[in-house]
Amino acid sequence: RAPFIYDAAWGGIVSCGCKYDDCGGNCSPRCANRSWTEPEECPALSRGDLNHGNGMYNNHHFQYGYLLYAVAVVAKFNPSWESHWRWRILPLARDYGNPSQLDPSFPPARHKDWFLGLSWDGGVSPTLTPRAQTRSGEAVNSYYALYAYGSSINTPYAKSLRDFGRLLAAMEIHSVNSLWHVREESQVFQHGFRHHVVGIVSENSLRYQTPTGEEAYSISGLQLVPFTPIMEACLER
């Protein structure tokens, strides 16, 4: 098992990580963690290569956004299921999309850059490279998930989640159309960018590539997925 745990140092939900074991190739791969793992035994809290760096707060909006969107859909049609598991669901929403500055347990909008409007996917690991974001569509979807979840539940804080998700998604879409989608009228790409989409936006560069390769289908595809309703607004022009 690889449980989620609460990290009081940075105020977030992180994966403990899995102690991978395949018996030296003699058994099916499994997670050898104990049913309850103490934080000091969690491999992801000291290794940034596990779970895409989840234990170091990398990509939380991408990863938790998928989970929260799935929850929002289920909650729409099965409210009792959401109500039963709400105590497990809300911490994931608060981790990356907390709408309250008064919440002592989680920071507001963990990944959002309020000046540029986009989100950075890096966490707290020390790095020599500038901050960057590689999956614009997943960032948009993560905030749409907040909106969808807030729209699917009936609680006193539902409106805050819905409205904050709507704001964050609108900001992200604006940044995507400014920095990832190369338009003829763009004021960003005046000197000519040979491609119609950017793969990685960082603080000091715009690159036509992905972390895993330079194939055109991969670069464009990572900016398109996931195909949830909000992507129609993101790709309308």
Side-chain angles (χ1 to χ4, degrees):
R1 299 181 182 181
F4 283 120
I5 61 174
Y6 176 73
D7 169 35
W10 293 98
I13 301 297
V14 295
S15 171
C16 177
C18 182
K19 292 183 178 179
Y20 179 84
D21 181 21
D22 65 354
C23 308
N26 295 316
C27 68
S28 299
R30 64 192 182 93
C31 190
N33 296 24
R34 296 184 302 163
S35 60
W36 176 252
T37 305
E38 297 297 328
E40 55 268 21
E41 298 176 6
C42 290
L45 301 189
S46 59
R47 290 179 52 188
D49 60 321
L50 292 180
N51 300 335
H52 297 279
N54 181 281
M56 306 295 174
Y57 291 93
N58 292 355
N59 306 323
H60 276 206
H61 57 324
F62 297 165
Q63 298 166 350
Y64 297 167
Y66 278 108
L67 298 177
L68 196 62
Y69 181 71
V71 165
V73 173
V74 174
K76 182 72 175 179
F77 300 99
N78 190 350
S80 62
W81 179 91
E82 185 278 332
S83 179
H84 176 76
W85 292 107
R86 185 175 297 162
W87 65 285
R88 293 285 186 98
I89 297 166
L90 269 180
L92 296 180
R94 291 161 67 198
D95 175 272
Y96 78 90
N98 182 19
S100 174
Q101 293 184 341
L102 301 179
D103 189 337
S105 300
F106 297 88
R110 183 183 303 279
H111 291 273
K112 178 64 75 173
D113 185 320
W114 291 97
F115 180 75
L116 294 176
L118 54 75
S119 299
W120 301 115
D121 53 23
V124 299
S125 299
T127 176
L128 297 177
T129 58
R131 293 180 298 177
Q133 179 157 267
T134 57
R135 294 171 172 84
S136 60
E138 290 181 340
V140 170
N141 179 71
S142 71
Y143 300 126
Y144 174 63
L146 283 174
Y147 164 80
Y149 180 54
S151 299
S152 299
I153 59 177
N154 183 21
T155 68
Y157 50 79
K159 184 178 185 300
S160 295
L161 283 174
R162 183 193 68 200
D163 292 349
F164 198 52
R166 188 176 181 181
L167 170 65
L168 297 177
M171 294 174 66
E172 204 74 28
I173 289 173
H174 177 78
S175 72
V176 169
N177 280 314
S178 299
L179 298 174
W180 270 271
H181 299 163
V182 183
R183 317 287 189 187
E184 291 184 0
E185 70 275 14
S186 172
Q187 299 299 307
V188 177
F189 303 94
Q190 295 183 50
H191 300 295
F193 189 78
R194 296 186 300 107
H195 310 283
H196 296 293
V197 66
V198 175
I200 300 176
V201 171
S202 65
E203 289 181 296
N204 65 353
S205 66
L206 302 169
R207 286 170 280 171
Y208 187 69
Q209 65 181 84
T210 72
T212 57
E214 299 183 1
E215 296 84 359
Y217 67 85
S218 178
I219 296 169
S220 296
L222 279 179
Q223 311 315 321
L224 293 173
V225 296
F227 290 102
T228 51
I230 192 63
M231 294 309 292
E232 183 176 0
C234 190
L235 303 171
E236 63 180 349
R237 291 196 293 142

Short mmCIF file of all heavy atoms in Angstrom, two decimals, residues 108-141:
data_model
loop_
_atom_site.label_atom_id
_atom_site.label_comp_id
_atom_site.label_asym_id
_atom_site.label_seq_id
_atom_site.Cartn_x
_atom_site.Cartn_y
_atom_site.Cartn_z
N PRO A 108 -3.52 28.65 -0.06
CA PRO A 108 -4.44 28.84 -1.18
C PRO A 108 -3.71 28.68 -2.52
O PRO A 108 -2.59 29.17 -2.69
CB PRO A 108 -4.94 30.28 -1.00
CG PRO A 108 -3.86 30.95 -0.22
CD PRO A 108 -3.22 29.91 0.64
N ALA A 109 -4.35 27.95 -3.45
CA ALA A 109 -3.86 27.83 -4.83
C ALA A 109 -2.36 27.57 -4.90
O ALA A 109 -1.59 28.40 -5.37
CB ALA A 109 -4.23 29.08 -5.62
N ARG A 110 -1.95 26.40 -4.49
CA ARG A 110 -0.55 26.06 -4.29
C ARG A 110 0.33 26.34 -5.52
O ARG A 110 1.44 26.84 -5.39
CB ARG A 110 -0.42 24.58 -3.91
CG ARG A 110 1.00 24.13 -3.60
CD ARG A 110 1.06 22.64 -3.31
NE ARG A 110 0.20 22.24 -2.22
CZ ARG A 110 0.51 22.36 -0.93
NH1 ARG A 110 1.67 22.91 -0.57
NH2 ARG A 110 -0.34 21.96 0.00
N HIS A 111 -0.13 25.99 -6.70
CA HIS A 111 0.74 26.06 -7.88
C HIS A 111 0.57 27.34 -8.70
O HIS A 111 1.34 27.57 -9.64
CB HIS A 111 0.47 24.86 -8.80
CG HIS A 111 0.91 23.55 -8.22
ND1 HIS A 111 2.20 23.07 -8.36
CD2 HIS A 111 0.24 22.61 -7.49
CE1 HIS A 111 2.30 21.90 -7.76
NE2 HIS A 111 1.13 21.60 -7.22
N LYS A 112 -0.39 28.17 -8.36
CA LYS A 112 -0.74 29.30 -9.22
C LYS A 112 0.25 30.46 -9.11
O LYS A 112 0.64 30.86 -8.02
CB LYS A 112 -2.15 29.78 -8.88
CG LYS A 112 -2.63 30.99 -9.68
CD LYS A 112 -2.76 30.68 -11.16
CE LYS A 112 -3.96 29.85 -11.47
NZ LYS A 112 -4.16 29.69 -12.95
N ASP A 113 0.63 31.00 -10.26
CA ASP A 113 1.40 32.24 -10.33
C ASP A 113 0.40 33.37 -10.60
O ASP A 113 -0.13 33.49 -11.70
CB ASP A 113 2.42 32.16 -11.47
CG ASP A 113 3.35 33.37 -11.55
OD1 ASP A 113 2.87 34.50 -11.35
OD2 ASP A 113 4.55 33.18 -11.82
N TRP A 114 0.16 34.19 -9.60
CA TRP A 114 -0.90 35.19 -9.71
C TRP A 114 -0.52 36.35 -10.63
O TRP A 114 -1.38 37.11 -11.06
CB TRP A 114 -1.27 35.71 -8.33
CG TRP A 114 -1.97 34.68 -7.51
CD1 TRP A 114 -1.42 33.85 -6.58
CD2 TRP A 114 -3.35 34.31 -7.58
NE1 TRP A 114 -2.36 33.01 -6.06
CE2 TRP A 114 -3.56 33.26 -6.65
CE3 TRP A 114 -4.43 34.78 -8.33
CZ2 TRP A 114 -4.80 32.68 -6.47
CZ3 TRP A 114 -5.67 34.19 -8.15
CH2 TRP A 114 -5.85 33.16 -7.21
N PHE A 115 0.75 36.50 -10.93
CA PHE A 115 1.17 37.57 -11.84
C PHE A 115 1.00 37.14 -13.29
O PHE A 115 0.46 37.88 -14.11
CB PHE A 115 2.63 37.95 -11.56
CG PHE A 115 3.14 39.05 -12.46
CD1 PHE A 115 2.77 40.36 -12.25
CD2 PHE A 115 4.00 38.76 -13.51
CE1 PHE A 115 3.23 41.38 -13.08
CE2 PHE A 115 4.47 39.76 -14.34
CZ PHE A 115 4.08 41.07 -14.13
N LEU A 116 1.45 35.94 -13.63
CA LEU A 116 1.38 35.46 -15.00
C LEU A 116 0.08 34.74 -15.32
O LEU A 116 -0.28 34.58 -16.49
CB LEU A 116 2.56 34.52 -15.28
CG LEU A 116 3.95 35.16 -15.27
CD1 LEU A 116 5.03 34.10 -15.46
CD2 LEU A 116 4.06 36.23 -16.35
N GLY A 117 -0.63 34.29 -14.29
CA GLY A 117 -1.90 33.62 -14.52
C GLY A 117 -1.80 32.12 -14.74
O GLY A 117 -2.80 31.43 -14.72
N LEU A 118 -0.60 31.63 -15.00
CA LEU A 118 -0.42 30.19 -15.20
C LEU A 118 -0.02 29.51 -13.90
O LEU A 118 0.09 30.14 -12.86
CB LEU A 118 0.63 29.93 -16.28
CG LEU A 118 2.02 30.59 -16.15
CD1 LEU A 118 2.89 29.92 -15.12
CD2 LEU A 118 2.73 30.59 -17.50
N SER A 119 0.20 28.21 -13.98
CA SER A 119 0.65 27.45 -12.83
C SER A 119 2.01 26.84 -13.13
O SER A 119 2.33 26.53 -14.28
CB SER A 119 -0.34 26.32 -12.51
OG SER A 119 -1.61 26.84 -12.20
N TRP A 120 2.82 26.68 -12.10
CA TRP A 120 4.10 25.99 -12.23
C TRP A 120 3.95 24.60 -11.66
O TRP A 120 3.34 24.42 -10.60
CB TRP A 120 5.20 26.74 -11.49
CG TRP A 120 5.41 28.15 -11.93
CD1 TRP A 120 5.20 29.29 -11.20
CD2 TRP A 120 5.88 28.60 -13.21
NE1 TRP A 120 5.50 30.41 -11.93
CE2 TRP A 120 5.92 30.02 -13.19
CE3 TRP A 120 6.27 27.94 -14.39
CZ2 TRP A 120 6.32 30.78 -14.27
CZ3 TRP A 120 6.67 28.71 -15.47
CH2 TRP A 120 6.70 30.10 -15.41
N ASP A 121 4.49 23.60 -12.36
CA ASP A 121 4.24 22.23 -11.90
C ASP A 121 5.29 21.73 -10.92
O ASP A 121 5.14 20.64 -10.38
CB ASP A 121 4.09 21.25 -13.07
CG ASP A 121 5.26 21.30 -14.05
OD1 ASP A 121 6.36 21.73 -13.65
OD2 ASP A 121 5.08 20.90 -15.21
N GLY A 122 6.35 22.47 -10.67
CA GLY A 122 7.36 22.05 -9.72
C GLY A 122 6.93 22.24 -8.28
O GLY A 122 6.01 22.99 -7.97
N GLY A 123 7.61 21.53 -7.39
CA GLY A 123 7.29 21.61 -5.98
C GLY A 123 8.37 22.28 -5.17
O GLY A 123 8.81 23.38 -5.51
N VAL A 124 8.85 21.60 -4.14
CA VAL A 124 9.80 22.21 -3.21
C VAL A 124 11.20 21.64 -3.35
O VAL A 124 12.08 21.98 -2.56
CB VAL A 124 9.31 22.03 -1.75
CG1 VAL A 124 7.98 22.73 -1.56
CG2 VAL A 124 9.20 20.55 -1.39
N SER A 125 11.44 20.80 -4.34
CA SER A 125 12.78 20.24 -4.53
C SER A 125 13.73 21.33 -5.03
O SER A 125 13.37 22.11 -5.92
CB SER A 125 12.75 19.09 -5.54
OG SER A 125 11.92 18.05 -5.11
N PRO A 126 14.95 21.38 -4.50
CA PRO A 126 15.92 22.33 -5.04
C PRO A 126 16.31 21.93 -6.46
O PRO A 126 16.48 20.76 -6.76
CB PRO A 126 17.12 22.19 -4.08
CG PRO A 126 16.97 20.83 -3.48
CD PRO A 126 15.49 20.59 -3.38
N THR A 127 16.42 22.91 -7.34
CA THR A 127 16.72 22.62 -8.74
C THR A 127 17.51 23.76 -9.35
O THR A 127 17.36 24.92 -8.94
CB THR A 127 15.43 22.39 -9.55
OG1 THR A 127 15.75 22.20 -10.92
CG2 THR A 127 14.48 23.56 -9.41
N LEU A 128 18.32 23.43 -10.33
CA LEU A 128 19.10 24.45 -11.04
C LEU A 128 18.35 25.00 -12.24
O LEU A 128 18.76 26.00 -12.82
CB LEU A 128 20.44 23.85 -11.51
CG LEU A 128 21.39 23.36 -10.40
CD1 LEU A 128 22.63 22.72 -11.03
CD2 LEU A 128 21.78 24.51 -9.49
N THR A 129 17.25 24.38 -12.61
CA THR A 129 16.48 24.82 -13.76
C THR A 129 15.33 25.73 -13.32
O THR A 129 14.82 25.59 -12.20
CB THR A 129 15.90 23.61 -14.52
OG1 THR A 129 15.08 22.84 -13.62
CG2 THR A 129 17.03 22.74 -15.04
N PRO A 130 14.89 26.63 -14.18
CA PRO A 130 13.79 27.55 -13.82
C PRO A 130 12.47 26.80 -13.66
O PRO A 130 12.31 25.66 -14.12
CB PRO A 130 13.72 28.51 -15.01
CG PRO A 130 15.02 28.35 -15.73
CD PRO A 130 15.45 26.94 -15.51
N ARG A 131 11.52 27.45 -13.03
CA ARG A 131 10.19 26.88 -12.91
C ARG A 131 9.58 26.70 -14.30
O ARG A 131 9.84 27.48 -15.22
CB ARG A 131 9.30 27.77 -12.07
CG ARG A 131 9.71 27.86 -10.62
CD ARG A 131 8.77 28.76 -9.83
NE ARG A 131 8.79 30.13 -10.34
CZ ARG A 131 8.02 31.10 -9.86
NH1 ARG A 131 7.15 30.85 -8.90
NH2 ARG A 131 8.10 32.32 -10.36
N ALA A 132 8.74 25.67 -14.45
CA ALA A 132 8.16 25.38 -15.76
C ALA A 132 6.82 24.69 -15.60
O ALA A 132 6.46 24.23 -14.51
CB ALA A 132 9.11 24.51 -16.57
N GLN A 133 6.08 24.65 -16.71
CA GLN A 133 4.88 23.82 -16.78
C GLN A 133 4.87 23.12 -18.13
O GLN A 133 5.15 23.74 -19.15
CB GLN A 133 3.60 24.63 -16.60
CG GLN A 133 2.34 23.76 -16.68
CD GLN A 133 1.14 24.37 -15.99
OE1 GLN A 133 0.87 24.11 -14.84
NE2 GLN A 133 0.42 25.21 -16.71
N THR A 134 4.52 21.84 -18.11
CA THR A 134 4.63 21.02 -19.31
C THR A 134 3.30 20.53 -19.86
O THR A 134 3.25 20.05 -20.98
CB THR A 134 5.51 19.78 -19.01
OG1 THR A 134 4.93 19.06 -17.91
CG2 THR A 134 6.93 20.21 -18.62
N ARG A 135 2.23 20.61 -19.08
CA ARG A 135 0.94 20.06 -19.50
C ARG A 135 -0.16 21.07 -19.25
O ARG A 135 -0.84 21.04 -18.22
CB ARG A 135 0.67 18.75 -18.75
CG ARG A 135 1.63 17.62 -19.09
CD ARG A 135 1.43 16.44 -18.16
NE ARG A 135 2.19 15.27 -18.56
CZ ARG A 135 3.47 15.06 -18.26
NH1 ARG A 135 4.13 15.98 -17.54
NH2 ARG A 135 4.09 13.98 -18.67
N SER A 136 -0.36 21.95 -20.20
CA SER A 136 -1.31 23.04 -20.00
C SER A 136 -2.75 22.54 -19.89
O SER A 136 -3.54 23.06 -19.11
CB SER A 136 -1.19 24.05 -21.14
OG SER A 136 -1.46 23.45 -22.41
N GLY A 137 -3.10 21.51 -20.67
CA GLY A 137 -4.46 20.99 -20.61
C GLY A 137 -4.79 20.39 -19.26
O GLY A 137 -5.90 20.56 -18.75
N GLU A 138 -3.85 19.70 -18.66
CA GLU A 138 -4.09 19.10 -17.35
C GLU A 138 -4.20 20.17 -16.27
O GLU A 138 -4.93 19.99 -15.29
CB GLU A 138 -2.98 18.10 -17.03
CG GLU A 138 -3.04 16.85 -17.90
CD GLU A 138 -1.95 15.85 -17.55
OE1 GLU A 138 -0.95 16.24 -16.94
OE2 GLU A 138 -2.12 14.67 -17.91
N ALA A 139 -3.48 21.27 -16.44
CA ALA A 139 -3.60 22.37 -15.48
C ALA A 139 -5.00 22.98 -15.55
O ALA A 139 -5.65 23.23 -14.52
CB ALA A 139 -2.54 23.43 -15.76
N VAL A 140 -5.48 23.23 -16.77
CA VAL A 140 -6.84 23.76 -16.94
C VAL A 140 -7.85 22.80 -16.33
O VAL A 140 -8.77 23.20 -15.60
CB VAL A 140 -7.14 23.99 -18.44
CG1 VAL A 140 -8.62 24.31 -18.64
CG2 VAL A 140 -6.28 25.11 -19.00
N ASN A 141 -7.70 21.52 -16.62
CA ASN A 141 -8.65 20.53 -16.12
C ASN A 141 -8.66 20.47 -14.60
O ASN A 141 -9.71 20.23 -13.98
CB ASN A 141 -8.30 19.15 -16.68
CG ASN A 141 -9.24 18.07 -16.18
OD1 ASN A 141 -10.41 18.02 -16.56
ND2 ASN A 141 -8.74 17.21 -15.30
#
